[in-house]
Amino acid sequence: MTTSPNTTPVSATTALNPLLAPDRISFRSALDHLQDALTADWQFFLRRKMPETLEKLEYGHQAAQAWSMCIEALCEVCDMDTAHPDLRAAAMELIQTTPGSYPVSSRVDILKLEIKRLSNLHFVGSDEGLYDLLFHAHTLNTVHNSNLQMMRAYWNN
């Protein structure tokens, strides 16, 4: 085996390099935290009619902690000097949809369109992987918008 020539072309590894870039990894991490925050938010919402127990307080704490981690991860992307400008712009848009910014459904919808516009600047399957990341951000923002609408519609029921 050691005497045979290397059969893996060197160019095969270059397609992964942009995906492993620190800004892509940080943005993916931020999206994972956003998904966790949306899930925790929904779990807390489902228990809104529950009596004030330690269990209900724990769900509220988990939601707050998940959002905090999400905001921190998004700020990390914004603060990276080497981050792609579209990833930084998308992170800034997503920060505006977090509870600290008191998002309303219509504002989240507008921000969703901006993230979609950013994703459309890149083509599907590009070596940079930006389209996939930005489209995933758009999808999570769509879920967030839907969650907000549902929560507001049923909050008092």
Side-chain angles (χ1 to χ4, degrees):
M1 289 295 261
T2 58
T3 58
S4 62
N6 185 1
T7 57
T8 305
V10 175
S11 63
T13 58
T14 57
L16 286 179
N17 289 341
L19 298 176
L20 298 175
D23 61 338
R24 274 45 163 207
I25 292 172
S26 292
F27 193 76
R28 168 63 61 201
S29 174
L31 293 180
D32 290 344
H33 286 299
L34 176 58
Q35 185 168 345
D36 291 344
L38 293 173
T39 301
D41 230 12
W42 189 253
Q43 292 299 319
F44 180 67
F45 171 75
L46 290 176
R47 286 153 182 85
R48 70 192 183 284
K49 299 273 184 177
M50 227 178 164
E52 295 294 326
T53 62
L54 285 176
E55 182 185 8
K56 182 177 180 181
L57 292 174
E58 182 60 30
Y59 279 104
H61 176 71
Q62 288 173 359
Q65 187 175 18
W67 278 113
S68 175
M69 292 175 69
C70 174
I71 293 169
E72 185 178 326
L74 290 168
C75 287
E76 182 181 318
V77 174
C78 291
D79 293 342
M80 290 180 82
D81 293 334
T82 58
H84 190 282
D86 290 342
L87 291 181
R88 291 174 76 187
M92 292 172 91
E93 298 289 336
L94 288 171
I95 287 171
Q96 294 178 44
T97 68
T98 61
S101 299
Y102 303 104
V104 293
S105 174
S106 59
R107 179 74 178 135
V108 174
D109 206 31
I110 292 168
L111 295 171
K112 176 183 73 172
L113 294 174
E114 177 59 21
I115 294 172
K116 177 68 172 150
R117 186 192 67 75
L118 288 171
S119 71
N120 287 339
L121 294 175
H122 305 278
F123 60 92
V124 179
S126 71
D127 288 343
E128 294 180 325
L130 290 173
Y131 176 83
D132 294 335
L133 286 172
L134 292 168
F135 189 77
H136 189 172
H138 166 71
T139 303
L140 287 174
N141 216 23
T142 302
V143 169
H144 188 194
N145 183 36
S146 300
N147 282 357
L148 287 174
Q149 289 179 7
M150 181 74 80
M151 288 175 186
R152 287 197 174 100
Y154 290 100
W155 189 259
N156 295 320
N157 292 338

